Amino acid sequence: MIIRFVRALVLVTSLCDMPDLLVQSQIVSLLLETGIPPDIEDAKGNPPINVAAANGHVEIVSLLLSMKSSVNVTNKTGNTPLFQAAEFGHLDCCKLLLEAKTNTRLTNSRQHTPLMRASANGHEDVVRHLIAARCNVRCKSKHGIMTPLVWAARKGYLGIVQLLIEAKADVENRSENGTFLPTWIGLEAFNEAAKRGHTLVVKTIARSREKRIAARELKLQKIKEGADSFGF
């Protein structure tokens, strides 16, 4: 009997074509009143709130949160509800989850973040909101190569590339300690965009690199001039 209730709960949270979301919310509420834990997983390891977030059902997400569903609950691959909402571009769900104090720095089994998934799928409004929420724009994937900027450059999402660069995303392929990594073909933002013919993205990244290099050289020059003035 419990298994049937769980299946029904997850099914209702996933339905996109139910004509009346109020009715849908009422059904979820009734199912939860049977005593089912709100974060109980289905056979595929998906908690109801993750399914609702993936389908953009902000009313259901809100209801589940009010029933003490964890805002940071994960599925089998480590995705939280925010991952699901960001992956599929559901801005209102993202806003609600951020207001509920979800942990934006959690990573999944591939060390991807919600900002990476939104960047990879072209959801510019979600990316803008996640950046405003201080998500880490320099986060790296499991193998240390893929970042939000690399994902956006690979797909040719110029608007997202510009947003990430404005937020100080790394365009110089540096390691965590600031040292420069080898520029392996296809494994950094500039090359990903270039080999796929995203000309405007290539130009944008190139200009940004030039400006940052010039700014760094100017800073070093000022330091040198200051040292010279003291006779060092």
Side-chain angles (χ1 to χ4, degrees):
M1 182 66 70
I2 287 291
I3 293 175
R4 290 180 181 176
F5 277 132
V6 172
R7 286 175 178 169
L9 179 59
V10 174
L11 175 62
V12 173
T13 56
S14 67
L15 290 175
C16 297
D17 55 355
M18 183 171 283
D20 191 337
L21 284 175
L22 176 61
V23 173
Q24 190 174 358
S25 297
Q26 290 172 342
I27 293 173
V28 172
S29 182
L30 287 171
L31 289 170
L32 290 171
E33 287 174 6
T34 66
I36 299 174
D39 288 336
I40 194 166
E41 299 175 352
D42 66 6
K44 295 182 179 180
N46 295 305
I49 192 171
N50 292 48
V51 178
N55 287 279
H57 293 174
V58 66
E59 295 86 356
I60 305 298
V61 172
S62 179
L63 174 62
L64 289 165
L65 288 173
S66 72
M67 300 294 287
K68 307 304 180 185
S69 183
S70 172
V71 72
N72 292 317
V73 66
T74 60
N75 61 14
K76 285 186 176 180
T77 58
N79 290 335
T80 65
L82 184 61
F83 273 87
Q84 305 295 121
E87 174 94 32
F88 296 103
H90 301 306
L91 179 59
D92 287 341
C93 280
C94 289
K95 289 180 177 179
L96 176 61
L97 293 164
L98 289 167
E99 289 170 2
K101 307 301 183 184
T102 185
N103 187 342
T104 60
R105 292 186 175 270
L106 291 178
T107 60
N108 65 11
S109 58
R110 300 172 66 188
Q111 287 186 236
H112 286 185
T113 66
L115 182 57
M116 279 188 186
R117 301 317 308 148
S119 299
N121 288 288
H123 304 308
E124 189 171 331
D125 54 348
V126 174
V127 169
R128 183 180 290 104
H129 202 78
L130 292 175
I131 290 174
R134 299 185 179 279
C135 289
N136 183 11
V137 298
R138 296 194 174 201
C139 53
K140 295 179 182 291
S141 64
K142 189 172 184 179
H143 300 292
I145 298 299
M146 299 305 292
T147 67
L149 181 61
V150 174
W151 277 113
R154 171 185 282 187
K155 299 291 187 69
Y157 297 134
L158 179 61
I160 293 177
V161 167
Q162 292 170 330
L163 284 173
L164 292 167
I165 289 175
E166 289 171 6
K168 307 302 182 186
D170 181 26
V171 294
E172 298 177 89
N173 205 32
R174 288 177 291 179
S175 66
E176 293 296 332
N177 64 9
T179 58
F180 289 90
L181 298 170
T183 306
W184 297 321
I185 296 298
L187 293 180
E188 59 103 2
F190 183 89
N191 290 321
E192 286 286 351
K195 74 178 185 179
R196 287 172 172 78
H198 302 311
T199 306
L200 292 178
V201 172
V202 170
K203 290 181 177 179
T204 299
I205 294 173
R207 282 195 295 268
S208 177
R209 293 180 74 169
E210 289 170 0
K211 287 180 181 178
R212 292 191 188 182
I213 290 171
R216 187 165 58 247
E217 289 177 348
L218 179 60
K219 183 177 179 180
L220 290 173
Q221 181 63 30
K222 288 183 177 180
I223 292 173
K224 183 178 183 301
E225 290 173 356
D228 289 343
S229 68
F230 284 100
F232 293 121

